[in-house]
């Protein structure tokens, strides 16, 4: 095997998706994901159940990634894994598996920051953003505005001070009686509703920071008042409610993204993370991009949510720089970019 043949196996287990991917010389060959449905009846991710499901899924998922790439373990050049941020028990499964495999094969270990990987998902396929670019990373656990100077050089210039935007979607969906995860359902109903029907407050934070806990409280009190007058208010107005809530959340993201673009004079704009799959957000930013002359980059749906493909591309750049981890590495529930 020549120096050009670099195969890296990447493992992602930070929350409720067990995923494995093989990357060959910077080209992602596959992206195997096992999604856990066990959490739906609890209305949120239960960490202990997530850890157990990862333990059940990790061997078959890794095995499938190797088989579909058409390679054996002996051809691997390195093993990559998500070190953090995420649920400690869930991360432990991926970290332990990666360490054991790297040790058994006597090959390097590469730790990856999950939030960096979301940004680097843009380098899996063309078109790829040019440096420097701004990335709005939006998910169930994080909302960050990131200034990306190079593949491995990033700076968080704004972030949420409380709930992530994905949490706000899921929590308001719960108030509307929608099942977990409610964010995608709000998006679906919003397509049939009028976003201007109901007005909810837009929280304005200093600098480029966000706050999403206020909308949840505003929606709660609003619904309580309306349900007193009409117990069927939610059912009768579901589409308009979803459209109005979604419009308000997207507005808060749009305002700060536009502000950051103007302040830094950057027109290369990307979105990443699970909420970047939201059609309302995609459509709003596409329209603004045309108006403002932005080059807008949106990853394919499979690379928006948690996946090992993005861990693999991040590992590729770290491998090229020789950034390897020692075998005593431990997971981090909180980890800065």
């Amino acid at each position: 095997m020549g120096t050009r043949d670099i195969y890296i196996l990447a493992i992602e287990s930070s929350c409720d998706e067990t995923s494995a991917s093989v990357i060959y010389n910077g080209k992602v060959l596959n992206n195997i994901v096992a999604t856990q449905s066990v959490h739906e009846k609890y209305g949120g991710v239960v960490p202990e159940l997530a850890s157990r499901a990862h333990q059940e899924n990790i061997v078959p998922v890794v095995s499938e990634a190797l088989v579909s790439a058409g390679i054996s373990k002996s051809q691997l050049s390195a093993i990559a894994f998500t070190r953090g941020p995420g649920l400690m028990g869930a991360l432990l499964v991926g970290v332990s598996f990666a360490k054991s495999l790297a040790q058994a094969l006597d090959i390097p270990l590469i730790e990856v920051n999950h939030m960096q990987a979301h940004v680097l998902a843009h380098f899996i396929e063309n078109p790829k953003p040019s440096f420097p670019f701004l990335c709005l990373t939006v998910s169930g656990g994080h909302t960050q505005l990131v200034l990306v100077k190079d593949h491995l050089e990033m700076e968080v210039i704004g972030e949420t001070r409380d709930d992530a935007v994905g949490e706000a979607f899921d929590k308001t969906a719960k108030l509307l009686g929608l099942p977990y995860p409610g964010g995608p359902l709000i998006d679906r109903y919003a397509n049939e509703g009028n976003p201007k029907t109901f007005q909810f407050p837009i929280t304005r934070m200093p600098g480029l920071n966000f706050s999403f806990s206020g909308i949840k409280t505003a929606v709660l009190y609003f619904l309580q008042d309306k349900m007193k007058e009409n117990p069927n208010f939610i059912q009768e107005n579901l589409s308009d409610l979803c459209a109005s809530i979604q419009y308000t959340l997207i507005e808060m993201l749009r305002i700060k993204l536009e502000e950051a673009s103007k302040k830094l004079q950057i027109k290369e704009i990307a979105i990443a993370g699970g909420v970047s799959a939201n059609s309302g957000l995609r459509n709003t930013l596409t329209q603004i991009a045309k108006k403002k002359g932005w080059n807008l980059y949106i990853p394919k749906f499979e690379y928006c949510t948690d996946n090992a493909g993005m861990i693999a591309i991040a590992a590729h750049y770290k491998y090229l720089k020789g950034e390897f981890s020692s075998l005593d590495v431990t997971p981090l529930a909180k980890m800065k970019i």
Side-chain angles (χ1 to χ4, degrees), residues 281-336:
L281 180 61
R282 286 173 171 239
N283 296 339
T284 299
L285 294 185
T286 302
Q287 285 165 14
I288 293 161
K290 281 181 191 155
K291 210 187 300 176
K292 303 259 180 190
W294 290 354
N295 293 322
L296 182 67
Y297 302 91
I298 305 173
K300 267 169 66 175
F301 281 110
E302 70 169 301
Y303 299 126
C304 290
T305 48
D306 293 349
N307 68 88
M310 67 183 198
I311 305 301
I313 195 74
H316 166 73
Y317 292 113
K318 295 192 98 171
Y319 185 95
L320 296 180
K321 286 196 158 186
E323 290 186 18
F324 303 121
S325 299
S326 65
L327 283 166
D328 57 6
V329 64
T330 53
L332 295 172
K334 290 188 174 173
M335 191 177 180
K336 291 198 179 298

Side-chain angles (χ1 to χ4, degrees), residues 68-336:
S68 85
I71 62 163
S72 65
K73 296 192 293 288
S74 61
Q75 287 172 271
L76 291 170
S77 314
I79 310 288
F81 64 94
T82 303
R83 186 181 181 190
L87 300 170
M88 186 55 92
L91 289 165
L92 265 169
V93 178
V95 175
S96 306
F97 188 92
K99 279 162 59 166
S100 306
L101 192 54
Q103 192 168 20
L105 297 170
D106 196 22
I107 56 175
L109 195 58
I110 302 171
E111 65 175 74
V112 171
N113 180 313
H114 183 84
M115 298 312 294
Q116 266 195 347
H118 269 306
V119 175
L120 292 172
H122 288 283
F123 294 91
I124 295 173
E125 292 178 351
N126 289 324
K128 296 166 185 169
S130 305
F131 301 113
F133 67 92
L134 282 173
C135 187
L136 175 66
T137 309
V138 278
S139 67
H142 297 86
T143 303
Q144 294 180 334
L145 258 176
V146 185
L147 171 59
V148 188
K149 301 167 189 175
D150 203 348
H151 294 113
L152 301 172
E153 195 187 339
M154 305 179 193
E155 181 192 342
V156 176
I157 55 171
E159 59 191 327
T160 182
R161 289 300 180 199
D162 40 62
D163 289 356
V165 69
E167 264 179 289
F169 269 107
D170 287 341
K171 285 176 179 177
T172 49
K174 198 172 184 179
L175 294 174
L176 296 172
L178 299 174
Y180 175 87
L185 292 171
I186 286 190
D187 190 17
R188 196 187 307 161
Y189 288 116
N191 285 325
E192 297 151 26
N194 178 356
K196 302 289 172 74
T197 308
F198 306 109
Q199 279 199 315
F200 297 108
I202 286 173
T203 311
R204 298 188 184 270
M205 293 293 283
L208 296 170
N209 291 324
F210 305 91
S211 169
F212 295 103
S213 60
I215 187 168
K216 177 188 63 194
T217 314
V219 170
L220 174 68
Y221 291 145
F222 174 80
L223 292 176
Q224 282 175 346
D225 288 346
K226 294 290 183 185
M227 299 278 277
K228 280 176 198 163
E229 299 163 21
N230 173 11
N232 299 318
F233 179 78
I234 292 175
Q235 291 92 315
E236 289 169 13
N237 297 278
L238 187 58
S239 295
D240 288 344
L241 280 165
C242 288
S244 303
I245 289 165
Q246 179 159 293
Y247 171 79
T248 308
L249 290 169
I250 291 170
E251 269 299 279
M252 289 194 240
L253 295 171
R254 178 195 67 78
I255 290 164
K256 295 297 182 179
L257 187 55
E258 281 192 29
E259 220 175 286
S261 169
K262 190 178 175 184
K263 184 181 170 187
L264 296 166
Q265 294 291 292
I266 292 175
K267 294 199 168 189
E268 294 278 303
I269 309 289
I271 55 170
V275 181
S276 65
N278 179 283
S279 67
L281 180 61
R282 286 173 171 239
N283 296 339
T284 299
L285 294 185
T286 302
Q287 285 165 14
I288 293 161
K290 281 181 191 155
K291 210 187 300 176
K292 303 259 180 190
W294 290 354
N295 293 322
L296 182 67
Y297 302 91
I298 305 173
K300 267 169 66 175
F301 281 110
E302 70 169 301
Y303 299 126
C304 290
T305 48
D306 293 349
N307 68 88
M310 67 183 198
I311 305 301
I313 195 74
H316 166 73
Y317 292 113
K318 295 192 98 171
Y319 185 95
L320 296 180
K321 286 196 158 186
E323 290 186 18
F324 303 121
S325 299
S326 65
L327 283 166
D328 57 6
V329 64
T330 53
L332 295 172
K334 290 188 174 173
M335 191 177 180
K336 291 198 179 298

Side-chain angles (χ1 to χ4, degrees), residues 1-8 24-25 74-78 319:
M1 188 167 70
T3 49
R4 289 170 171 266
D5 290 324
I6 300 165
Y7 285 100
I8 302 171
Y24 171 65
N25 292 348
S74 61
Q75 287 172 271
L76 291 170
S77 314
Y319 185 95

Side-chain angles (χ1 to χ4, degrees), residues 13-35:
S13 73
S14 66
C15 191
D16 61 340
E17 260 102 7
T18 318
S19 183
S21 171
V22 173
I23 187 167
Y24 171 65
N25 292 348
K27 181 176 169 46
V28 172
L29 301 182
N30 53 33
N31 188 33
I32 314 298
V33 182
T35 303

